[in-house]
Amino acid sequence: MVQYSRLFSVQGQRACVIGAGSGIGREIAQGLAAWGADVVCADRDVDAARETSSLCRAQRPLSAAEYIDVTDPEQVREAPERFGHPQILVHTAAMNVRRRILDYRDDELEKVTSLNLTGTFRVLQAFGGSMVERGRGSMVFLSSIRARVVEPGQGVYGATKAGLESLVRSAASEFSTRGVRVNAIAPGVVTTPLTQQVQSDPGWFRNYAAQSALGRWAEPSELVGAAVYLASDAASYVTGSVLAVDGGWTAIDGGTSELHTP
């Protein structure tokens, strides 16, 4: 008999959150710890990862902090073993350079694609291989509404997120029969360090809020439920999916949340 009260439990599982030092990653790490996982908080900013780990240890004393730079292929290859072969992987690390296509520089293109797309592939390959070998696992990657709807200056970022979603579907087709599920979450606008440029402009901030059905920005904590769901047995028949957590932004095609009459 299914114990529905335990559907969302990840009790005793080892989880790794890459990008756990701040924003969405920090909140997801705490959420997984609250539901029973021992969380490896991994980040390029290891001091920030330690801060997150200390928050997780209040729930799960075996949680730890680790350094990782996903643009370093050797580090990523060694990470699954170094982190104790996690059964849950949440990858949130990303960056954005807001610049129109004709103005984009080669070094900016390299930085964004190296982290957002190449880094994602390396993480998918390394941790996916570890999970496939052991016949169990759940992988969750952070995409974005920008994989579907873009605006001037978001072309490269959007392309990397569209590529991420394609990799998620491909990995699901290859890994799922081996006991490993692969999914993504596509947030809308969230109050994180990545969106600080927009938050600092009151007009820009209000305009973004108005484009979702809920008429507001998300807090990082509002992504936790989706991540725990996809990581847990509650999503045991979910793989190759992209779960939109965007306040209805894509549902209303990025239009205003308010009705205007002529």
Side-chain angles (χ1 to χ4, degrees):
M1 180 180 293
V2 177
Q3 297 184 35
Y4 292 114
S5 63
R6 294 184 54 79
L7 267 183
F8 293 90
S9 174
V10 288
Q11 186 73 33
Q13 295 189 51
R14 192 157 187 83
C16 173
V17 179
I18 298 178
S22 64
I24 295 170
R26 171 168 285 184
E27 298 302 319
I28 289 175
Q30 293 179 79
L32 289 169
W35 281 96
D38 298 315
V39 184
V40 176
C41 303
D43 203 287
R44 189 160 52 183
D45 184 344
V46 72
D47 290 334
R50 290 192 184 103
E51 291 178 10
T52 303
S53 177
S54 68
L55 295 170
C56 292
R57 282 198 297 274
Q59 303 282 347
R60 297 291 296 182
L62 294 180
S63 295
E66 295 284 353
Y67 173 83
I68 192 170
D69 180 353
V70 301
T71 65
D72 183 328
E74 189 61 30
Q75 274 194 40
V76 178
R77 277 192 292 269
E78 295 174 349
E81 182 173 3
R82 185 160 60 96
F83 296 170
H85 295 289
Q87 296 94 41
I88 296 168
L89 181 281
V90 181
H91 181 65
T92 72
M95 69 172 295
N96 189 10
V97 174
R98 292 174 176 272
R99 200 181 300 280
R100 292 172 184 263
I101 290 171
L102 297 182
D103 299 324
Y104 235 86
R105 303 195 309 261
D106 284 349
D107 64 312
E108 294 168 336
L109 179 65
E110 172 61 25
K111 286 179 181 178
V112 176
T113 57
S114 178
L115 178 58
N116 295 8
L117 192 56
T118 308
T120 292
F121 176 81
R122 289 182 180 131
V123 168
L124 182 63
Q125 185 180 58
F127 285 86
S130 169
M131 292 178 182
V132 164
E133 185 177 339
R134 287 157 182 78
R136 179 189 181 191
S138 177
M139 310 183 78
V140 182
F141 292 83
L142 264 290
S143 183
S144 169
I145 58 170
R146 294 306 176 205
R148 291 177 174 77
V149 292
V150 297
E151 63 178 331
Q154 294 273 53
V156 173
Y157 179 77
T160 63
K161 292 302 185 178
L164 178 152
E165 292 187 7
S166 182
L167 285 173
V168 163
R169 289 189 291 270
S170 296
S173 74
E174 297 175 15
F175 299 171
S176 296
T177 57
R178 307 288 296 278
V180 180
R181 296 182 296 105
V182 189
N183 294 287
I185 298 169
V189 290
V190 188
T191 55
T192 69
L194 190 66
T195 57
Q196 189 57 50
Q197 181 183 5
V198 180
Q199 296 178 60
S200 63
D201 184 312
W204 204 357
F205 182 88
R206 288 192 300 270
N207 180 61
Y208 266 28
Q211 291 189 66
S212 72
L214 292 178
R216 63 176 178 84
W217 285 57
E219 294 299 320
S221 59
E222 293 180 288
L223 278 296
V224 173
V228 172
Y229 162 67
L230 290 173
S232 72
D233 285 343
S236 60
Y237 201 63
V238 181
T239 193
S241 294
V242 179
L243 176 56
V245 185
D246 63 1
W249 183 304
T250 51
I252 63 173
D253 197 25
T256 179
S257 60
E258 298 178 358
L259 291 176
H260 295 280
T261 55

